Amino acid sequence: MVHNFDVIVVGGGASGFFTAINLAQQTPNIRIAILERSKEVLNKVKISGGGRCNVTHACFIPNVLTKFYPRGEKELRGPFHTFCTGDVMQWFEDRNVVLKIEEDGRIFPESDSSQTIIDCFLEEAKKFGIKIITQTIVQSIQQENGGWTLETSKDAFQCNHLVMATGSNLKIWDLLQNVNHSIVKPVPSLFTFNIKDQRIQDLMGVSTEMVTVKVKDSHLKATGPLLITHWGMSGPAILRLSAWGARELFDKNYQFTLQVNWLNDLVFDEVLEELIENKQESAKKTIAKYPQYGLTQRLWFQLVKAALIPETMIWADVSKKQLVKLAEQLTNGQFVVNGKSTFKDEFVTAGGIDLKEVNFKTMESKLHNNLYFTGEILNIDAITGGFNFQNAWTTGFLAANAIAIKY
């Protein structure tokens, strides 16, 4: 049996629903279907932000917002000038979804529940008569007479306009290669580092306000808070490094040396001079008992221990050689990374449709008329904080506008 629609959106996730709803709102009589391979739609929305759904981030300047995207920065400048963070907030608030901005800039529904966002999408889809077809796996895509024919695990579908919003789906990428689109090989992005090291093995839960981390013998560098976990290191600094270094770290098979400056931008010579001053000013104090530079007691103790300074030693008795070792531990601690771990449930990949093959004014394929791409199916990804959803909303909005004009 062949089902005919004006527009088919493949992918029942955030960008797929956003595209379909915006299109249906502009063209009320259009026939739209969403095809989803799973039993449920919007699964990634459900688990995002720890079940709260980090809708976007409170960065309202397009050229600043693009800086959070390791891949897609240049391409998203124009789109963000068309539909940005403030537009997203207004869109949801127009549909009675109240949002809130948290201290770190992340934006959530006031209900603190992703179900609020899911319910909004499902209600809008129902209102506009959008057909949602689940458990339908697309097996082939073919362009015919200016439109598209899809063979699926259930039936065949035909449409005038096809929107691909499937995220990081290897099988869909294979199908798109069959119609001559180039796929940038996907690799993990946004992950934490596995590290076994005595200096941190008993420090699970310890965090620092601001550190600088580098990959040794590489240009890769990031700053931000760091969190010590039972498997190694996480936190914003590590996640940023993993995002910008996604492909290079993949090539290293996640085996490399991480250099950590626990004092962020303080350099070795400056720190050594301050430690020598401490030797004079705090002569009778026990070094290990009194943390310096705002470090926690537990972390300071381990770094002092790693510098081969006995835990009972006072500043007056410490040698220049020991202070040099301590300054090295503070400003250039070297940790062997052996593997990675996924960041929570929010698995993100770098890779997808080559951005050179997409018109970023309309999100239409440059190779085929009436074929559109939205969200993470593209070679676009961002750090954590609501930025990947912002890409989904913006690209979905542009695709919907472009299709609506044709009707």
Side-chain angles (χ1 to χ4, degrees):
M1 184 176 180
V2 180
H3 302 274
N4 288 283
F5 292 91
D6 295 305
V7 179
I8 289 177
V9 178
V10 181
S15 68
F17 267 83
F18 204 74
T19 305
I21 292 166
N22 279 286
L23 177 56
Q25 185 178 15
Q26 296 181 66
T27 53
N29 297 319
I30 201 170
R31 296 167 301 155
I32 303 172
I34 295 175
L35 305 187
E36 168 58 39
R37 61 177 175 166
S38 304
K39 289 182 180 179
E40 303 288 337
V41 293
L42 300 164
N43 284 324
K44 195 167 183 179
V45 172
K46 188 170 188 176
I47 64 172
S48 70
R52 296 198 295 147
C53 189
N54 186 181
V55 174
T56 185
H57 198 94
C59 179
F60 299 94
I61 303 171
N63 288 349
V64 176
L65 183 58
T66 60
K67 300 296 183 184
F68 293 94
Y69 295 82
R71 283 147 292 274
E73 176 186 347
K74 180 180 71 173
E75 290 79 7
L76 288 172
R77 282 181 198 149
F80 284 161
H81 276 90
T82 300
F83 192 80
C84 202
T85 309
D87 303 302
V88 171
M89 295 185 74
Q90 188 64 55
W91 193 93
F92 280 107
E93 287 171 7
D94 286 346
R95 290 156 180 80
N96 299 315
V97 176
V98 181
L99 302 175
K100 62 177 180 177
I101 302 174
E102 299 199 337
E103 283 186 13
D104 60 3
R106 292 183 300 165
I107 298 175
F108 293 91
E110 197 171 68
S111 65
D112 276 332
S113 173
S114 58
Q115 194 61 46
T116 301
I117 304 300
I118 293 171
D119 290 344
C120 171
F121 284 153
L122 293 178
E123 287 168 12
E124 290 290 299
K126 183 178 180 181
K127 179 171 77 175
F128 291 115
I130 297 168
K131 183 79 171 175
I132 300 170
I133 305 170
T134 58
Q135 294 181 279
T136 303
I137 300 171
V138 175
Q139 297 173 331
S140 72
I141 301 169
Q142 188 174 352
Q143 192 168 33
E144 293 182 353
N145 301 319
W148 293 87
T149 298
L150 290 73
E151 296 290 341
T152 77
S153 54
K154 287 185 175 178
D155 294 315
F157 293 83
Q158 290 182 339
C159 61
N160 298 322
H161 303 275
L162 178 61
V163 180
M164 304 303 295
T166 50
S168 303
N169 185 319
L170 295 176
K171 290 183 179 178
I172 293 296
W173 281 332
D174 287 342
L175 296 182
L176 290 167
Q177 280 184 309
N178 291 339
V179 293
N180 299 319
H181 265 290
S182 304
I183 306 298
V184 178
K185 182 181 177 181
V187 298
S189 177
L190 211 62
F191 49 84
T192 62
F193 298 165
N194 296 346
I195 299 171
K196 288 186 177 180
D197 191 292
Q198 285 192 336
R199 286 168 291 179
I200 63 171
Q201 69 177 9
D202 296 321
L203 299 185
M204 183 178 71
V206 169
S207 62
T208 60
E209 267 190 34
M210 193 65 66
V211 303
T212 296
V213 288
K214 300 178 183 178
V215 174
K216 190 175 181 179
D217 300 324
S218 166
H219 69 286
L220 295 173
K221 176 182 176 181
T223 60
L226 183 146
L227 172 67
I228 298 172
T229 68
H230 68 274
W231 63 84
M233 293 183 184
S234 183
I238 298 298
L239 294 173
R240 288 189 185 114
L241 196 63
S242 75
W244 267 267
R247 204 156 294 281
E248 188 171 334
L249 298 181
F250 173 83
D251 291 340
K252 291 177 180 291
N253 198 29
Y254 309 107
Q255 314 284 322
F256 57 93
T257 297
L258 181 72
Q259 298 172 293
V260 180
N261 184 340
W262 299 100
L263 310 183
N264 189 23
D265 55 358
L266 293 182
V267 297
F268 171 84
D269 290 343
E270 184 180 358
V271 172
L272 179 58
E273 185 178 335
E274 290 177 356
L275 293 176
I276 291 171
E277 289 176 5
N278 274 357
K279 180 178 170 69
Q280 306 299 323
E281 297 173 1
S282 305
K284 294 183 179 180
K285 288 186 177 181
T286 304
I287 299 170
K289 283 187 178 179
Y290 297 95
Q292 305 294 307
Y293 301 106
L295 298 178
T296 67
Q297 173 66 57
R298 291 165 65 198
L299 177 57
W300 172 258
F301 180 85
Q302 289 299 331
L303 296 179
V304 168
K305 184 179 175 182
L308 304 180
I309 298 173
E311 60 182 280
T312 57
M313 180 174 280
I314 60 174
W315 282 100
D317 297 335
V318 71
S319 69
K320 173 75 176 292
K321 184 177 180 180
Q322 288 170 316
L323 291 181
V324 167
K325 285 184 177 293
L326 181 55
E328 287 174 346
Q329 289 293 332
L330 289 165
T331 62
N332 189 27
Q334 309 220 4
F335 296 84
V336 175
V337 176
N338 184 20
K340 62 173 178 56
S341 295
T342 301
F343 177 62
K344 299 182 179 177
D345 294 318
E346 299 176 25
F347 185 70
V348 175
T349 59
I353 297 292
D354 192 322
L355 304 185
K356 297 186 189 74
E357 299 176 355
V358 180
N359 179 344
F360 274 82
K361 291 182 180 179
T362 62
M363 304 316 300
E364 187 172 14
S365 165
K366 290 181 179 178
L367 307 185
H368 302 286
N369 292 333
N370 304 325
L371 174 63
Y372 302 80
F373 303 109
T374 68
E376 292 179 29
I377 193 172
L378 296 155
N379 183 29
I380 293 176
D381 62 284
I383 62 171
T384 185
F387 302 104
N388 284 300
F389 271 138
Q390 182 61 51
N391 168 44
W393 313 139
T394 296
T395 54
F397 181 84
L398 290 177
N401 281 5
I403 298 169
I405 289 171
K406 297 183 178 183
Y407 284 91

